[in-house]
């Protein structure tokens, strides 16, 4: 009894009381008690043999599950044209410091497969352009980022501090096909709002940028990308007005058994609120408060702390 109490980290009296309750529930005497201590009865030994077989089987089942679930301590993150790379970088770095025992894997996911990938547990969390209500999944906008367009340096609009989609109506918007391209719903809204005509290209982003340098059209990116990537013979210009901001949502399952998912979501919410506090405007500079965007529009949902 003393050894059992030590292993369970409880009082010896607690072990004794629970043994008595078990005997009463089973209506059998498991132990003989006298001044020398306690010993299993014949009935108790028989019962223990039966129970131990089930107990060992349960341990084997848990061990098998651990072997099969090799990513039990891995958080699988999917990205679907998730602008705001600087925010996501800080989020992942902060999470790594708080929970160093959780490893992260990051992969691209096509926009049409985001929800199914979450439902099928291929990913624990997906960041993508805001797609509205996600059926059977939890979703929330974590941050927003200004969109930029890349123009040839010789274009007549490069001297303007801020552009609108209507200014680019006569130009082709070059969009890579596949994982590197913006979501189709965003492109449809741009086209419907009198913006440039969308031209899909069977090329990666580097090739599309090269086409812009040649004067064959313009392309699209988020402020964090535009801030870091300078292009020869081309200029990044911020967009203003309708459809000039990219809202990034996280999608996950509340039923996901990994506690790391809710921890990551809680951290993203709090960091999203902190990052959207208004800063002094620097007209036309990537990362400044978007033109015509109120503080309320920039602010994601209220912060939430989760264990």
């Amino acid at each position: 009894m003393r050894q059992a109490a030590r292993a369970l980290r409880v009082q010896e009296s607690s072990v004794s009381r629970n043994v008595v309750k078990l005997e009463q529930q089973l209506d059998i005497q498991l132990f003989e008690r006298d001044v020398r201590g306690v010993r299993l009865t014949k009935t108790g030994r028989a019962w223990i043999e039966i129970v131990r077989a089930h107990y060992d089987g349960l341990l084997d089942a848990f061990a098998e599950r651990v072997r099969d679930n090799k990513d039990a301590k891995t958080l699988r993150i999917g990205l679907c044209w998730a602008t705001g790379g600087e925010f996501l970088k800080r989020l992942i770095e902060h999470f790594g410091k708080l929970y160093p025992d959780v490893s992260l894997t990051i992969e691209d996911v096509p926009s049409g497969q985001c929800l199914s990938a979450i439902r099928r547990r291929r990913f624990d969390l997906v960041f993508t352009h805001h797609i509205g209500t996600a059926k059977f999944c939890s979703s929330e906008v974590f941050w927003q980022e200004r969109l930029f367009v890349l123009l040839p340096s010789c274009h007549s609009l490069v001297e303007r501090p801020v552009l609108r989609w209507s200014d680019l109506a006569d130009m082709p918007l070059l969009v890579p096909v596949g994982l590197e391209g913006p979501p189709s719903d965003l492109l449809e809204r741009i086209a419907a709002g009198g913006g440039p005509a969308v031209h899909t290209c069977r090329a990666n982003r580097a090739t599309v940028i090269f086409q812009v340098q040649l004067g064959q059209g313009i392309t699209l990116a988020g402020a964090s990308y535009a801030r870091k990537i300078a292009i020869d013979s081309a200029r990044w210009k911020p967009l203003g007005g309708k459809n000039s901001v990219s809202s990034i949502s996280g999608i996950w399952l509340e039923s996901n058994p990994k506690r790391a998912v809710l921890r990551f979501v809680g951290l993203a919410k709090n960091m999203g609120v902190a990052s959207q506090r208004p800063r002094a405007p620097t007209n036309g500079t990537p990362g400044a408060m978007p033109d015509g965007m109120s503080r309320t529009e920039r602010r994601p949902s209220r912060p939430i702390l989760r264990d």
Side-chain angles (χ1 to χ4, degrees), residues 199-272:
H199 287 226
T200 55
C201 308
R202 296 193 175 276
N204 58 26
R205 177 175 285 192
T207 302
V208 168
I209 289 175
F210 180 62
Q211 289 178 280
V212 173
Q213 291 174 303
L214 294 176
Q216 297 178 1
I218 61 175
T219 194
L220 179 65
S224 58
Y225 184 88
R227 184 188 302 120
K228 291 184 176 181
I229 307 299
I231 309 297
D232 292 336
S233 305
R235 294 272 300 278
W236 291 106
K237 304 301 296 183
L239 284 163
K242 190 176 181 180
N243 296 320
S244 64
V245 174
S246 175
S247 298
I248 303 301
S249 292
I251 306 174
W252 71 96
L253 286 177
E254 287 285 354
S255 59
N256 193 314
K258 297 181 182 180
R259 297 184 68 183
V261 175
L262 296 183
R263 288 170 174 168
F264 197 94
V265 168
L267 183 61
K269 289 178 179 180
N270 285 289
M271 287 186 60

Side-chain angles (χ1 to χ4, degrees), residues 81 147 149 165-166 168 173 175 182-198 218 220 239 242-244:
W81 205 74
L147 292 176
V149 292
W165 286 119
S166 57
L168 309 166
L173 177 61
V175 175
S184 57
D185 60 329
L186 174 61
L187 298 175
E188 290 170 0
R189 290 201 299 272
I190 291 172
V198 176
I218 61 175
L220 179 65
L239 284 163
K242 190 176 181 180
N243 296 320
S244 64

